[in-house]
Amino acid sequence: MFVDIYVFCVILFSNFLQTTTGFGYAIVTTPLLALVLPAKESVMLTMLTALIARLSMLKLVSGAGSFRDIRPLLFTGLIGSAVGAYTLAAINEYWLKIFIAIILLFTAWGLWKERRIEIKHPKRIERLVGACSGFLGSTTSINGPPIIMYYLNAGMAEDKALFRGHLTRYFLVMNVIGVILAFGFGTMQVGSLWKFVLYSLPALFFGLYFGEKLFQRINAQAFKRMTLLMVVCSAVLILANAANVK
């Protein structure tokens, strides 16, 4: 019973953050679920619920950006997803948790600094960003770090609506690819997750509703800081949990 309530609360909070800022769902959901569920189940449940959440957000971002704007990132993202899906099928739970924790800490540091780098060959960097994001999406469901850093470096966060719109569309496409590949490689075991998916539906609705209300009233920067604090805390807890698995 505790696990069910815990999963409900995590999904609600994660979708609240995602609706408000455009990112943070997988960054928050995967490590928190990994505290009560096996690492691979945490990744798969995050992928399934994130897909539902992002489909629900399409109407909210309909006036900000388009799928055409993110096309340069998607091709290499697909390649990275395929490599990542194979890696997930071969890696053990201990190393998966270590990998997730390292990615979280690196992401928190990079986003907190908000440093901009002058890019001389943007097209090449864009392809690399897509590949890295796709790989992380398939292995940990945390595909946000590369693409978020790329957009922050480009200054897109200054337009909150456009920033959220691009992130929502990109994550949705990569989410669909990740789920398909997970089924193809046999890592998606829906039979063990359907109960949690059902519990998550009302949590996703409430998170979407309250997140959109707040999005219209407050600067998303404050919520980005809250997300980063959650990232650091979650990474530390997962490292401790990984030590017990070892």
Side-chain angles (χ1 to χ4, degrees):
M1 185 65 176
F2 167 78
V3 174
D4 298 337
I5 296 175
Y6 178 83
V7 170
F8 180 92
C9 293
V10 168
I11 298 297
L12 191 157
F13 178 65
S14 299
N15 202 32
F16 173 78
L17 285 175
Q18 176 180 254
T19 304
T20 307
T21 65
F23 66 94
Y25 189 90
I27 292 177
V28 174
T29 305
T30 301
L32 292 181
L33 291 182
L35 297 177
V36 297
L37 298 174
K40 290 185 179 180
E41 285 192 14
S42 301
V43 172
M44 295 301 110
L45 182 57
T46 299
M47 291 175 67
L48 288 174
T49 55
L51 179 59
I52 299 172
R54 286 158 185 162
L55 285 172
S56 302
M57 282 188 65
L58 279 181
K59 186 176 181 180
L60 299 180
V61 301
S62 59
S66 67
F67 281 101
R68 178 172 301 195
D69 298 331
I70 62 173
R71 284 189 306 178
L73 296 166
L74 294 178
F75 177 72
T76 53
L78 176 61
I79 297 175
S81 292
V83 175
Y86 174 80
T87 302
L88 181 63
I91 198 171
N92 65 48
E93 185 172 324
Y94 169 76
W95 289 112
L96 180 59
K97 287 189 174 184
I98 295 295
F99 184 53
I100 291 173
I102 292 174
I103 293 299
L104 290 174
L105 291 173
F106 176 79
T107 303
W109 177 83
L111 292 178
W112 196 277
K113 290 295 183 179
E114 295 185 349
R115 294 176 177 174
R116 293 191 181 184
I117 301 174
E118 182 180 353
I119 298 176
K120 296 182 179 180
H121 304 286
K123 292 298 181 181
R124 296 179 183 176
I125 298 300
E126 202 168 28
R127 295 188 185 99
L128 178 61
V129 166
C132 292
S133 179
F135 178 83
L136 293 182
S138 291
T139 53
T140 69
S141 83
I142 305 175
N143 56 351
I147 190 69
I148 291 170
M149 290 294 293
Y150 178 75
Y151 281 150
L152 286 175
N153 190 70
M156 189 178 291
E158 297 173 6
D159 186 337
K160 185 176 66 173
L162 185 62
F163 184 68
R164 186 177 73 160
H166 280 352
L167 290 180
T168 298
R169 291 183 179 88
Y170 178 81
F171 292 153
L172 172 60
V173 174
M174 298 309 298
N175 203 164
V176 171
I177 294 172
V179 170
I180 292 174
L181 290 173
F183 272 110
F185 282 93
T187 54
M188 180 67 75
Q189 304 296 329
V190 180
S192 61
L193 298 175
W194 69 268
K195 178 182 69 173
F196 294 117
V197 173
L198 289 178
Y199 290 161
S200 299
L201 293 179
L204 290 170
F205 170 78
F206 287 121
L208 182 72
Y209 177 80
F210 290 112
E212 179 61 16
K213 288 291 185 182
L214 210 53
F215 176 77
Q216 301 298 333
R217 300 182 180 182
I218 197 169
N219 191 322
Q221 184 69 14
F223 286 89
K224 184 172 71 173
R225 296 300 186 186
M226 290 174 57
T227 302
L228 294 179
L229 290 175
M230 290 295 298
V231 168
V232 173
C233 293
S234 299
V236 172
L237 290 173
I238 282 206
L239 284 173
N241 187 262
N244 293 331
V245 172
K246 185 68 172 181

